[in-house]
Structures are given as structure tokens and as C-alpha cells.
Short mmCIF file of all heavy atoms in Angstrom, two decimals:
data_model
loop_
_atom_site.label_atom_id
_atom_site.label_comp_id
_atom_site.label_asym_id
_atom_site.label_seq_id
_atom_site.Cartn_x
_atom_site.Cartn_y
_atom_site.Cartn_z
N MET A 1146 3.60 -11.19 20.13
CA MET A 1146 4.62 -10.18 19.92
C MET A 1146 4.08 -9.07 19.11
O MET A 1146 3.16 -9.29 18.21
CB MET A 1146 5.78 -10.80 19.22
CG MET A 1146 6.92 -9.91 18.96
SD MET A 1146 8.37 -10.88 18.55
CE MET A 1146 8.87 -9.92 17.11
N ALA A 1147 4.35 -7.87 19.45
CA ALA A 1147 3.86 -6.75 18.69
C ALA A 1147 5.03 -5.83 18.33
O ALA A 1147 6.09 -5.94 18.91
CB ALA A 1147 2.90 -5.95 19.55
N ARG A 1148 4.81 -4.98 17.32
CA ARG A 1148 5.82 -4.05 16.96
C ARG A 1148 5.22 -2.74 16.41
O ARG A 1148 4.10 -2.76 15.96
CB ARG A 1148 6.71 -4.63 15.86
CG ARG A 1148 6.04 -4.93 14.56
CD ARG A 1148 6.92 -5.73 13.61
NE ARG A 1148 7.43 -6.91 14.10
CZ ARG A 1148 6.84 -8.09 14.09
NH1 ARG A 1148 5.69 -8.23 13.53
NH2 ARG A 1148 7.40 -9.16 14.65
N ILE A 1149 5.98 -1.68 16.51
CA ILE A 1149 5.59 -0.39 15.88
C ILE A 1149 6.28 -0.24 14.57
O ILE A 1149 7.52 -0.35 14.55
CB ILE A 1149 5.85 0.74 16.87
CG1 ILE A 1149 5.05 0.60 18.13
CG2 ILE A 1149 5.53 2.05 16.21
CD1 ILE A 1149 5.42 1.66 19.20
N VAL A 1150 5.48 0.01 13.48
CA VAL A 1150 6.11 0.21 12.23
C VAL A 1150 5.61 1.63 11.71
O VAL A 1150 4.38 1.81 11.73
CB VAL A 1150 5.66 -0.86 11.19
CG1 VAL A 1150 6.29 -0.51 9.83
CG2 VAL A 1150 6.12 -2.23 11.73
N ARG A 1151 6.51 2.49 11.39
CA ARG A 1151 6.12 3.78 10.90
C ARG A 1151 5.70 3.73 9.49
O ARG A 1151 6.41 3.23 8.63
CB ARG A 1151 7.24 4.77 11.14
CG ARG A 1151 6.87 6.18 10.79
CD ARG A 1151 7.91 7.16 11.13
NE ARG A 1151 9.12 6.93 10.26
CZ ARG A 1151 10.21 7.58 10.38
NH1 ARG A 1151 10.41 8.42 11.35
NH2 ARG A 1151 11.26 7.38 9.57
N ARG A 1152 4.56 4.23 9.20
CA ARG A 1152 4.04 4.48 7.74
C ARG A 1152 3.79 5.90 7.57
O ARG A 1152 3.09 6.59 8.42
CB ARG A 1152 2.76 3.67 7.60
CG ARG A 1152 2.93 2.12 7.66
CD ARG A 1152 3.60 1.57 6.50
NE ARG A 1152 3.67 0.15 6.58
CZ ARG A 1152 2.88 -0.73 5.95
NH1 ARG A 1152 1.97 -0.21 5.13
NH2 ARG A 1152 3.05 -2.04 6.03
N THR A 1153 4.29 6.47 6.49
CA THR A 1153 4.11 7.89 6.26
C THR A 1153 3.24 8.09 5.04
O THR A 1153 2.74 9.24 4.84
CB THR A 1153 5.44 8.61 6.08
OG1 THR A 1153 6.12 7.97 5.00
CG2 THR A 1153 6.25 8.57 7.31
N ALA A 1154 2.96 7.07 4.26
CA ALA A 1154 2.06 7.20 3.05
C ALA A 1154 0.61 7.45 3.48
O ALA A 1154 0.20 6.94 4.52
CB ALA A 1154 2.11 5.99 2.21
N MET A 1155 -0.04 8.32 2.76
CA MET A 1155 -1.43 8.71 3.16
C MET A 1155 -2.41 8.37 2.02
O MET A 1155 -3.56 8.78 2.08
CB MET A 1155 -1.44 10.17 3.49
CG MET A 1155 -0.56 10.48 4.67
SD MET A 1155 -0.33 12.26 5.03
CE MET A 1155 -1.80 12.54 5.98
N GLU A 1156 -1.99 7.55 1.05
CA GLU A 1156 -2.86 7.18 -0.02
C GLU A 1156 -2.41 5.89 -0.63
O GLU A 1156 -1.17 5.52 -0.50
CB GLU A 1156 -3.02 8.26 -1.07
CG GLU A 1156 -1.73 8.67 -1.65
CD GLU A 1156 -1.84 9.92 -2.56
OE1 GLU A 1156 -2.70 10.75 -2.27
OE2 GLU A 1156 -1.10 10.03 -3.48
N PRO A 1157 -3.26 5.09 -1.35
CA PRO A 1157 -2.84 3.86 -1.88
C PRO A 1157 -2.05 4.00 -3.22
O PRO A 1157 -1.95 5.11 -3.74
CB PRO A 1157 -4.18 3.20 -2.15
CG PRO A 1157 -5.09 4.27 -2.43
CD PRO A 1157 -4.61 5.45 -1.52
N SER A 1158 -1.56 2.82 -3.69
CA SER A 1158 -0.99 2.72 -5.03
C SER A 1158 -1.86 1.93 -5.95
O SER A 1158 -2.39 0.95 -5.51
CB SER A 1158 0.41 2.09 -4.97
OG SER A 1158 1.37 2.88 -4.28
N SER A 1159 -1.97 2.36 -7.19
CA SER A 1159 -2.80 1.63 -8.17
C SER A 1159 -1.85 0.66 -8.89
O SER A 1159 -0.75 1.00 -9.27
CB SER A 1159 -3.32 2.65 -9.13
OG SER A 1159 -3.96 1.99 -10.13
N VAL A 1160 -2.34 -0.57 -9.02
CA VAL A 1160 -1.64 -1.59 -9.78
C VAL A 1160 -2.70 -2.34 -10.62
O VAL A 1160 -3.85 -2.40 -10.35
CB VAL A 1160 -0.95 -2.58 -8.88
CG1 VAL A 1160 0.19 -1.97 -8.10
CG2 VAL A 1160 -1.84 -3.30 -7.97
N MET A 1161 -2.23 -2.91 -11.80
CA MET A 1161 -3.12 -3.69 -12.59
C MET A 1161 -2.87 -5.15 -12.30
O MET A 1161 -1.77 -5.58 -12.39
CB MET A 1161 -2.82 -3.42 -14.09
CG MET A 1161 -3.13 -1.91 -14.50
SD MET A 1161 -4.87 -1.56 -14.33
CE MET A 1161 -5.55 -2.36 -15.74
N ILE A 1162 -3.90 -5.88 -11.96
CA ILE A 1162 -3.83 -7.35 -11.72
C ILE A 1162 -4.87 -8.01 -12.58
O ILE A 1162 -6.01 -7.77 -12.44
CB ILE A 1162 -4.04 -7.65 -10.23
CG1 ILE A 1162 -3.06 -6.90 -9.32
CG2 ILE A 1162 -4.06 -9.17 -10.00
CD1 ILE A 1162 -3.25 -7.03 -7.84
N ASP A 1163 -4.40 -8.89 -13.42
CA ASP A 1163 -5.24 -9.60 -14.40
C ASP A 1163 -6.15 -8.60 -15.11
O ASP A 1163 -7.35 -8.84 -15.32
CB ASP A 1163 -6.15 -10.62 -13.66
CG ASP A 1163 -5.34 -11.79 -13.04
OD1 ASP A 1163 -4.20 -12.09 -13.62
OD2 ASP A 1163 -5.72 -12.30 -12.08
N GLY A 1164 -5.55 -7.46 -15.53
CA GLY A 1164 -6.28 -6.55 -16.36
C GLY A 1164 -7.25 -5.68 -15.53
O GLY A 1164 -8.01 -4.83 -16.18
N LYS A 1165 -7.26 -5.78 -14.19
CA LYS A 1165 -8.13 -5.03 -13.36
C LYS A 1165 -7.40 -4.10 -12.45
O LYS A 1165 -6.36 -4.54 -11.82
CB LYS A 1165 -9.00 -5.96 -12.61
CG LYS A 1165 -10.08 -5.29 -11.75
CD LYS A 1165 -10.89 -6.29 -11.01
CE LYS A 1165 -11.87 -5.63 -10.05
NZ LYS A 1165 -12.51 -6.52 -9.09
N GLU A 1166 -7.79 -2.85 -12.39
CA GLU A 1166 -7.09 -1.96 -11.46
C GLU A 1166 -7.43 -2.28 -10.05
O GLU A 1166 -8.55 -2.42 -9.64
CB GLU A 1166 -7.49 -0.47 -11.80
CG GLU A 1166 -6.74 0.53 -10.95
CD GLU A 1166 -7.16 2.00 -11.35
OE1 GLU A 1166 -8.31 2.26 -11.59
OE2 GLU A 1166 -6.27 2.86 -11.37
N GLN A 1167 -6.36 -2.38 -9.19
CA GLN A 1167 -6.47 -2.65 -7.81
C GLN A 1167 -5.71 -1.53 -7.07
O GLN A 1167 -4.74 -1.00 -7.54
CB GLN A 1167 -5.84 -4.03 -7.45
CG GLN A 1167 -6.50 -5.19 -8.13
CD GLN A 1167 -7.82 -5.60 -7.58
OE1 GLN A 1167 -8.08 -5.42 -6.35
NE2 GLN A 1167 -8.75 -6.13 -8.40
N TRP A 1168 -6.17 -1.30 -5.82
CA TRP A 1168 -5.49 -0.27 -5.03
C TRP A 1168 -4.87 -0.92 -3.83
O TRP A 1168 -5.57 -1.56 -2.97
CB TRP A 1168 -6.56 0.81 -4.59
CG TRP A 1168 -7.05 1.59 -5.69
CD1 TRP A 1168 -8.13 1.24 -6.51
CD2 TRP A 1168 -6.44 2.74 -6.36
NE1 TRP A 1168 -8.31 2.21 -7.53
CE2 TRP A 1168 -7.23 3.14 -7.43
CE3 TRP A 1168 -5.35 3.51 -6.03
CZ2 TRP A 1168 -6.95 4.23 -8.25
CZ3 TRP A 1168 -5.03 4.58 -6.78
CH2 TRP A 1168 -5.85 4.92 -7.91
N LEU A 1169 -3.55 -0.75 -3.72
CA LEU A 1169 -2.81 -1.38 -2.64
C LEU A 1169 -2.56 -0.42 -1.44
O LEU A 1169 -2.25 0.71 -1.74
CB LEU A 1169 -1.43 -1.91 -3.09
CG LEU A 1169 -1.47 -2.98 -4.21
CD1 LEU A 1169 -0.11 -3.40 -4.55
CD2 LEU A 1169 -2.33 -4.21 -3.74
N CYS A 1170 -2.80 -0.89 -0.25
CA CYS A 1170 -2.65 -0.03 0.91
C CYS A 1170 -1.13 0.30 1.17
O CYS A 1170 -0.31 -0.56 1.14
CB CYS A 1170 -3.22 -0.69 2.20
SG CYS A 1170 -2.92 0.19 3.71
N ARG A 1171 -0.92 1.57 1.41
CA ARG A 1171 0.44 2.01 1.75
C ARG A 1171 0.42 2.62 3.10
O ARG A 1171 1.47 2.93 3.71
CB ARG A 1171 0.95 2.96 0.71
CG ARG A 1171 1.17 2.37 -0.68
CD ARG A 1171 1.63 3.35 -1.77
NE ARG A 1171 2.72 4.04 -1.35
CZ ARG A 1171 2.87 5.39 -1.43
NH1 ARG A 1171 1.91 6.12 -1.91
NH2 ARG A 1171 3.99 5.99 -1.03
N CYS A 1172 -0.71 2.93 3.63
CA CYS A 1172 -0.78 3.63 4.95
C CYS A 1172 -0.64 2.63 6.14
O CYS A 1172 -0.35 3.08 7.19
CB CYS A 1172 -2.06 4.45 5.08
SG CYS A 1172 -3.54 3.47 5.41
N GLY A 1173 -0.97 1.42 5.92
CA GLY A 1173 -0.87 0.37 6.98
C GLY A 1173 -2.16 0.23 7.79
O GLY A 1173 -2.22 -0.58 8.69
N LEU A 1174 -3.18 0.99 7.51
CA LEU A 1174 -4.37 1.00 8.35
C LEU A 1174 -5.55 0.13 7.76
O LEU A 1174 -6.54 -0.12 8.50
CB LEU A 1174 -4.95 2.40 8.51
CG LEU A 1174 -3.96 3.36 9.26
CD1 LEU A 1174 -4.50 4.80 9.25
CD2 LEU A 1174 -3.81 2.86 10.77
N SER A 1175 -5.46 -0.39 6.55
CA SER A 1175 -6.50 -1.14 5.97
C SER A 1175 -6.74 -2.48 6.75
O SER A 1175 -5.82 -3.07 7.15
CB SER A 1175 -6.15 -1.48 4.51
OG SER A 1175 -7.16 -2.34 3.93
N ARG A 1176 -8.03 -2.84 6.80
CA ARG A 1176 -8.35 -4.12 7.43
C ARG A 1176 -8.49 -5.19 6.36
O ARG A 1176 -8.93 -6.25 6.63
CB ARG A 1176 -9.62 -4.01 8.18
CG ARG A 1176 -9.52 -3.16 9.44
CD ARG A 1176 -10.86 -3.03 10.19
NE ARG A 1176 -10.65 -2.10 11.28
CZ ARG A 1176 -10.96 -2.38 12.52
NH1 ARG A 1176 -11.48 -3.63 12.85
NH2 ARG A 1176 -10.80 -1.54 13.51
N ASN A 1177 -8.13 -4.84 5.17
CA ASN A 1177 -8.24 -5.71 4.01
C ASN A 1177 -6.93 -5.77 3.32
O ASN A 1177 -6.83 -5.71 2.07
CB ASN A 1177 -9.39 -5.29 3.08
CG ASN A 1177 -9.66 -6.28 1.98
OD1 ASN A 1177 -9.58 -7.54 2.14
ND2 ASN A 1177 -10.00 -5.79 0.82
N GLN A 1178 -5.83 -5.90 4.13
CA GLN A 1178 -4.54 -5.96 3.48
C GLN A 1178 -4.40 -7.08 2.48
O GLN A 1178 -4.96 -8.19 2.66
CB GLN A 1178 -3.39 -6.11 4.56
CG GLN A 1178 -3.34 -4.94 5.50
CD GLN A 1178 -2.65 -3.76 4.89
OE1 GLN A 1178 -2.00 -3.83 3.91
NE2 GLN A 1178 -2.91 -2.60 5.48
N PRO A 1179 -3.68 -6.90 1.37
CA PRO A 1179 -2.86 -5.74 1.10
C PRO A 1179 -3.64 -4.61 0.31
O PRO A 1179 -3.08 -3.68 -0.16
CB PRO A 1179 -1.77 -6.33 0.09
CG PRO A 1179 -2.57 -7.37 -0.66
CD PRO A 1179 -3.50 -7.93 0.41
N PHE A 1180 -4.95 -4.76 0.28
CA PHE A 1180 -5.74 -3.84 -0.51
C PHE A 1180 -6.25 -2.67 0.35
O PHE A 1180 -6.48 -2.78 1.55
CB PHE A 1180 -7.00 -4.56 -1.12
CG PHE A 1180 -6.55 -5.66 -2.01
CD1 PHE A 1180 -6.69 -7.00 -1.55
CD2 PHE A 1180 -5.97 -5.42 -3.29
CE1 PHE A 1180 -6.28 -8.05 -2.39
CE2 PHE A 1180 -5.59 -6.50 -4.08
CZ PHE A 1180 -5.72 -7.77 -3.67
N CYS A 1181 -6.42 -1.51 -0.27
CA CYS A 1181 -6.91 -0.36 0.41
C CYS A 1181 -8.35 -0.48 0.72
O CYS A 1181 -9.13 -1.05 -0.15
CB CYS A 1181 -6.66 0.89 -0.56
SG CYS A 1181 -7.42 2.40 0.01
N ASP A 1182 -8.82 -0.07 1.89
CA ASP A 1182 -10.22 -0.14 2.22
C ASP A 1182 -10.74 1.34 2.55
O ASP A 1182 -11.89 1.45 3.08
CB ASP A 1182 -10.53 -1.03 3.39
CG ASP A 1182 -9.97 -0.55 4.65
OD1 ASP A 1182 -9.28 0.50 4.73
OD2 ASP A 1182 -10.18 -1.25 5.70
N GLY A 1183 -9.97 2.35 2.26
CA GLY A 1183 -10.33 3.68 2.51
C GLY A 1183 -9.92 4.23 3.87
O GLY A 1183 -10.14 5.39 4.13
N SER A 1184 -9.31 3.35 4.64
CA SER A 1184 -8.96 3.80 6.03
C SER A 1184 -7.90 4.86 6.01
O SER A 1184 -7.71 5.60 7.04
CB SER A 1184 -8.45 2.62 6.86
OG SER A 1184 -9.45 1.68 7.06
N HIS A 1185 -7.16 5.06 4.91
CA HIS A 1185 -6.11 6.09 4.87
C HIS A 1185 -6.73 7.46 5.06
O HIS A 1185 -6.04 8.41 5.39
CB HIS A 1185 -5.37 5.99 3.55
CG HIS A 1185 -6.22 6.23 2.35
ND1 HIS A 1185 -6.89 5.21 1.66
CD2 HIS A 1185 -6.62 7.40 1.72
CE1 HIS A 1185 -7.60 5.74 0.71
NE2 HIS A 1185 -7.48 6.99 0.69
N LYS A 1186 -8.02 7.61 4.88
CA LYS A 1186 -8.71 8.92 5.12
C LYS A 1186 -8.50 9.37 6.52
O LYS A 1186 -8.62 10.57 6.91
CB LYS A 1186 -10.17 8.83 4.69
CG LYS A 1186 -10.31 8.63 3.19
CD LYS A 1186 -11.73 8.39 2.83
CE LYS A 1186 -11.73 8.00 1.25
NZ LYS A 1186 -12.92 7.32 0.99
N MET A 1187 -8.33 8.44 7.42
CA MET A 1187 -8.16 8.77 8.85
C MET A 1187 -6.83 9.62 9.02
O MET A 1187 -6.66 10.25 10.07
CB MET A 1187 -8.09 7.50 9.73
CG MET A 1187 -9.35 6.80 9.80
SD MET A 1187 -9.35 5.44 11.02
CE MET A 1187 -8.23 4.28 10.30
N THR A 1188 -5.93 9.48 8.12
CA THR A 1188 -4.58 10.14 8.30
C THR A 1188 -4.63 11.67 7.91
O THR A 1188 -3.70 12.31 8.17
CB THR A 1188 -3.47 9.52 7.43
OG1 THR A 1188 -3.81 9.70 6.03
CG2 THR A 1188 -3.44 8.02 7.70
N ARG A 1189 -5.78 12.06 7.35
CA ARG A 1189 -5.85 13.55 6.98
C ARG A 1189 -5.69 14.34 8.30
O ARG A 1189 -6.37 14.06 9.33
CB ARG A 1189 -7.22 13.84 6.42
CG ARG A 1189 -7.37 13.15 5.01
CD ARG A 1189 -8.70 13.38 4.43
NE ARG A 1189 -8.81 12.75 3.13
CZ ARG A 1189 -9.96 12.43 2.56
NH1 ARG A 1189 -11.12 12.68 3.12
NH2 ARG A 1189 -9.94 11.80 1.40
N GLY A 1190 -4.82 15.37 8.21
CA GLY A 1190 -4.62 16.31 9.28
C GLY A 1190 -3.49 15.80 10.26
O GLY A 1190 -3.26 16.49 11.28
N GLU A 1191 -2.84 14.71 9.96
CA GLU A 1191 -1.72 14.31 10.75
C GLU A 1191 -0.62 15.32 10.60
O GLU A 1191 -0.34 15.83 9.58
CB GLU A 1191 -1.15 12.93 10.32
CG GLU A 1191 -1.98 11.75 10.72
CD GLU A 1191 -1.34 10.41 10.27
OE1 GLU A 1191 -0.37 10.47 9.53
OE2 GLU A 1191 -1.83 9.39 10.70
N ALA A 1192 0.08 15.62 11.73
CA ALA A 1192 1.23 16.57 11.68
C ALA A 1192 2.48 15.70 11.29
O ALA A 1192 2.68 14.63 11.81
CB ALA A 1192 1.41 17.20 13.04
N SER A 1193 3.30 16.22 10.51
CA SER A 1193 4.46 15.53 10.01
C SER A 1193 5.48 15.25 11.09
O SER A 1193 6.35 14.33 10.98
CB SER A 1193 5.13 16.23 8.80
OG SER A 1193 5.58 17.45 9.20
N ASP A 1194 5.50 16.00 12.17
CA ASP A 1194 6.51 15.87 13.21
C ASP A 1194 5.94 15.05 14.40
O ASP A 1194 6.56 15.03 15.44
CB ASP A 1194 7.07 17.18 13.66
CG ASP A 1194 5.90 18.09 14.29
OD1 ASP A 1194 4.74 17.79 14.02
OD2 ASP A 1194 6.27 18.99 15.04
N LYS A 1195 4.80 14.34 14.22
CA LYS A 1195 4.17 13.63 15.33
C LYS A 1195 4.10 12.18 14.93
O LYS A 1195 4.06 11.83 13.78
CB LYS A 1195 2.76 14.20 15.68
CG LYS A 1195 2.77 15.64 15.88
CD LYS A 1195 2.64 15.96 17.41
CE LYS A 1195 2.72 17.42 17.50
NZ LYS A 1195 2.34 18.06 18.53
N LEU A 1196 3.88 11.30 15.95
CA LEU A 1196 3.73 9.85 15.77
C LEU A 1196 2.39 9.53 16.30
O LEU A 1196 2.02 9.91 17.44
CB LEU A 1196 4.83 9.07 16.44
CG LEU A 1196 4.76 7.53 16.32
CD1 LEU A 1196 4.88 7.15 14.83
CD2 LEU A 1196 5.84 6.91 17.11
N TYR A 1197 1.52 8.77 15.55
CA TYR A 1197 0.16 8.45 16.01
C TYR A 1197 -0.03 6.91 15.93
O TYR A 1197 0.65 6.22 15.24
CB TYR A 1197 -0.81 9.08 15.01
CG TYR A 1197 -0.75 10.57 14.93
CD1 TYR A 1197 -0.10 11.18 13.85
CD2 TYR A 1197 -1.26 11.41 15.90
CE1 TYR A 1197 0.02 12.54 13.70
CE2 TYR A 1197 -1.18 12.76 15.76
CZ TYR A 1197 -0.58 13.36 14.69
OH TYR A 1197 -0.45 14.73 14.56
N TRP A 1198 -1.07 6.57 16.67
CA TRP A 1198 -1.64 5.17 16.48
C TRP A 1198 -3.15 5.31 16.49
O TRP A 1198 -3.70 6.29 16.88
CB TRP A 1198 -1.12 4.25 17.58
CG TRP A 1198 -1.62 4.54 19.00
CD1 TRP A 1198 -1.08 5.47 19.88
CD2 TRP A 1198 -2.76 3.94 19.61
NE1 TRP A 1198 -1.83 5.47 21.07
CE2 TRP A 1198 -2.83 4.56 20.92
CE3 TRP A 1198 -3.67 2.91 19.32
CZ2 TRP A 1198 -3.83 4.19 21.86
CZ3 TRP A 1198 -4.63 2.64 20.22
CH2 TRP A 1198 -4.72 3.27 21.42
N TYR A 1199 -3.82 4.31 15.89
CA TYR A 1199 -5.28 4.38 15.73
C TYR A 1199 -5.87 3.19 16.42
O TYR A 1199 -5.39 2.03 16.25
CB TYR A 1199 -5.63 4.37 14.20
CG TYR A 1199 -5.20 5.63 13.51
CD1 TYR A 1199 -3.94 5.80 13.10
CD2 TYR A 1199 -6.13 6.71 13.36
CE1 TYR A 1199 -3.57 7.02 12.47
CE2 TYR A 1199 -5.74 7.87 12.74
CZ TYR A 1199 -4.42 8.00 12.34
OH TYR A 1199 -4.05 9.22 11.72
N ASP A 1200 -6.92 3.46 17.22
CA ASP A 1200 -7.61 2.34 17.88
C ASP A 1200 -8.60 1.67 17.00
O ASP A 1200 -8.79 2.04 15.84
CB ASP A 1200 -8.29 2.79 19.17
CG ASP A 1200 -9.38 3.83 19.00
OD1 ASP A 1200 -10.02 3.84 17.96
OD2 ASP A 1200 -9.59 4.60 19.96
N ASP A 1201 -9.26 0.61 17.49
CA ASP A 1201 -10.14 -0.17 16.58
C ASP A 1201 -11.38 0.65 16.14
O ASP A 1201 -11.93 0.33 15.09
CB ASP A 1201 -10.72 -1.39 17.41
CG ASP A 1201 -9.69 -2.53 17.45
OD1 ASP A 1201 -8.76 -2.54 16.64
OD2 ASP A 1201 -9.86 -3.40 18.29
N GLY A 1202 -11.73 1.70 16.82
CA GLY A 1202 -12.79 2.57 16.39
C GLY A 1202 -12.35 3.61 15.40
O GLY A 1202 -13.17 4.43 14.93
N GLY A 1203 -11.05 3.62 15.05
CA GLY A 1203 -10.52 4.56 14.09
C GLY A 1203 -10.17 5.89 14.71
O GLY A 1203 -9.84 6.87 13.97
N GLU A 1204 -10.11 5.96 16.05
CA GLU A 1204 -9.77 7.19 16.68
C GLU A 1204 -8.27 7.35 16.77
O GLU A 1204 -7.51 6.40 17.06
CB GLU A 1204 -10.37 7.35 18.10
CG GLU A 1204 -10.15 8.60 18.77
CD GLU A 1204 -10.84 8.68 20.14
OE1 GLU A 1204 -11.82 7.93 20.36
OE2 GLU A 1204 -10.42 9.57 20.97
N ARG A 1205 -7.79 8.55 16.46
CA ARG A 1205 -6.35 8.82 16.42
C ARG A 1205 -5.86 9.19 17.83
O ARG A 1205 -6.49 9.90 18.54
CB ARG A 1205 -6.11 10.04 15.53
CG ARG A 1205 -4.60 10.46 15.39
CD ARG A 1205 -4.46 11.71 14.59
NE ARG A 1205 -5.05 11.53 13.30
CZ ARG A 1205 -5.27 12.53 12.48
NH1 ARG A 1205 -5.01 13.82 12.84
NH2 ARG A 1205 -5.88 12.36 11.31
N HIS A 1206 -4.67 8.62 18.16
CA HIS A 1206 -3.98 8.95 19.42
C HIS A 1206 -2.56 9.38 19.14
O HIS A 1206 -1.92 8.70 18.26
CB HIS A 1206 -4.01 7.71 20.35
CG HIS A 1206 -5.40 7.22 20.60
ND1 HIS A 1206 -6.14 7.69 21.63
CD2 HIS A 1206 -6.08 6.27 19.95
CE1 HIS A 1206 -7.31 7.07 21.67
NE2 HIS A 1206 -7.32 6.18 20.61
N GLU A 1207 -2.07 10.30 19.79
CA GLU A 1207 -0.72 10.75 19.63
C GLU A 1207 0.15 10.01 20.61
O GLU A 1207 -0.17 9.86 21.78
CB GLU A 1207 -0.59 12.25 19.84
CG GLU A 1207 0.84 12.74 19.63
CD GLU A 1207 0.86 14.25 19.77
OE1 GLU A 1207 -0.09 14.99 19.69
OE2 GLU A 1207 2.07 14.73 20.12
N VAL A 1208 1.28 9.49 20.08
CA VAL A 1208 2.28 8.79 20.97
C VAL A 1208 3.01 9.88 21.66
O VAL A 1208 3.58 10.85 21.08
CB VAL A 1208 3.21 7.96 20.17
CG1 VAL A 1208 4.25 7.29 21.00
CG2 VAL A 1208 2.46 6.85 19.42
N ALA A 1209 3.11 9.79 23.01
CA ALA A 1209 3.73 10.84 23.80
C ALA A 1209 5.20 11.06 23.50
O ALA A 1209 5.64 12.11 23.44
CB ALA A 1209 3.53 10.56 25.28
N GLU A 1210 5.87 9.90 23.34
CA GLU A 1210 7.31 10.05 23.01
C GLU A 1210 7.50 9.90 21.51
O GLU A 1210 6.74 9.22 20.87
CB GLU A 1210 8.08 8.96 23.77
CG GLU A 1210 8.01 9.05 25.26
CD GLU A 1210 8.70 7.95 25.94
OE1 GLU A 1210 9.71 7.47 25.47
OE2 GLU A 1210 8.24 7.54 27.03
N HIS A 1211 8.53 10.51 21.06
CA HIS A 1211 8.82 10.38 19.64
C HIS A 1211 9.88 9.30 19.43
O HIS A 1211 10.73 9.04 20.27
CB HIS A 1211 9.40 11.71 19.13
CG HIS A 1211 8.36 12.74 19.07
ND1 HIS A 1211 7.68 13.13 17.98
CD2 HIS A 1211 7.92 13.57 20.04
CE1 HIS A 1211 6.83 14.10 18.28
NE2 HIS A 1211 6.97 14.38 19.54
N PHE A 1212 9.71 8.58 18.33
CA PHE A 1212 10.64 7.51 17.93
C PHE A 1212 11.26 7.75 16.62
O PHE A 1212 10.88 7.22 15.61
CB PHE A 1212 9.92 6.20 17.98
CG PHE A 1212 9.29 5.76 19.22
CD1 PHE A 1212 7.97 6.16 19.58
CD2 PHE A 1212 10.01 5.13 20.22
CE1 PHE A 1212 7.42 5.80 20.73
CE2 PHE A 1212 9.42 4.73 21.43
CZ PHE A 1212 8.14 5.13 21.71
N PRO A 1213 12.17 8.75 16.62
CA PRO A 1213 12.71 9.17 15.22
C PRO A 1213 13.41 8.06 14.43
O PRO A 1213 13.62 8.19 13.27
CB PRO A 1213 13.65 10.34 15.60
CG PRO A 1213 14.11 10.04 17.06
CD PRO A 1213 12.90 9.40 17.63
N ASP A 1214 13.81 7.00 15.15
CA ASP A 1214 14.63 6.06 14.42
C ASP A 1214 13.82 4.85 13.97
O ASP A 1214 14.37 3.88 13.50
CB ASP A 1214 15.77 5.49 15.37
CG ASP A 1214 16.76 6.63 15.59
OD1 ASP A 1214 16.95 7.56 14.77
OD2 ASP A 1214 17.34 6.60 16.75
N ILE A 1215 12.45 4.92 14.12
CA ILE A 1215 11.61 3.83 13.67
C ILE A 1215 11.72 3.72 12.22
O ILE A 1215 11.60 4.75 11.45
CB ILE A 1215 10.14 4.02 14.09
CG1 ILE A 1215 10.00 3.83 15.59
CG2 ILE A 1215 9.23 3.07 13.32
CD1 ILE A 1215 8.62 4.09 16.12
N ARG A 1216 11.84 2.52 11.71
CA ARG A 1216 12.00 2.28 10.22
C ARG A 1216 10.69 2.54 9.57
O ARG A 1216 9.60 2.13 9.99
CB ARG A 1216 12.40 0.82 10.05
CG ARG A 1216 12.43 0.34 8.61
CD ARG A 1216 12.95 -1.05 8.66
NE ARG A 1216 12.56 -1.64 7.34
CZ ARG A 1216 12.87 -2.88 7.03
NH1 ARG A 1216 13.48 -3.67 7.90
NH2 ARG A 1216 12.58 -3.43 5.91
N SER A 1217 10.74 3.23 8.46
CA SER A 1217 9.56 3.52 7.66
C SER A 1217 9.39 2.40 6.68
O SER A 1217 10.31 1.90 6.13
CB SER A 1217 9.75 4.87 6.90
OG SER A 1217 9.73 5.93 7.75
N ALA A 1218 8.05 2.02 6.49
CA ALA A 1218 7.84 0.99 5.47
C ALA A 1218 7.80 1.54 4.10
O ALA A 1218 7.49 2.72 3.93
CB ALA A 1218 6.52 0.26 5.86
S1 LIG B 189 -3.84 3.34 1.63
FE1 LIG B 189 -4.23 2.26 3.47
S2 LIG B 189 -6.34 2.08 3.60
FE2 LIG B 189 -6.02 3.17 1.75
#
């Protein structure tokens, strides 16, 4: 089963865990969830009125149809 989840954040959040600063992924693209791996940099240049998906190579693709009612995480 698969699903589309809209994420609009383009940078991580900083949290302290056991006295160490950690960066949590908010963009949904990290391969090291829940931690940021820098993949959010791929979101630079996204248009706010478009919906995109990214392939395994990190290439951006625009979804032809818009899904305005998709829940944002
Ligand atoms: S916020 Fe998702 S990879 Fe950095």
C-alpha cells in the first residue's frame, strides 16, 4: 500500500537528545528518518502552488494534477 503525504517544510527542526543537538526531518525526504540527512536541499526552488515527488536519484517531478485537499504533515 502506498500513500501521498504532503510536506511543506523545507528545513529540519533542532532538538536536544541526551544533551546532544539532533536535527529532525520535516521535509519527508530523508533516508535516515526521523533524522535529517540534508535531502531537504532538493526542495529549493519548489513553487508553492505545485505538488512534486522525488525519484530515488533525487530528481524532482511535478505531479500533473493538483491535490489541494491532501493533508499536510
Ligand atoms: S529536513 Fe528532511 S532531510 Fe533535512
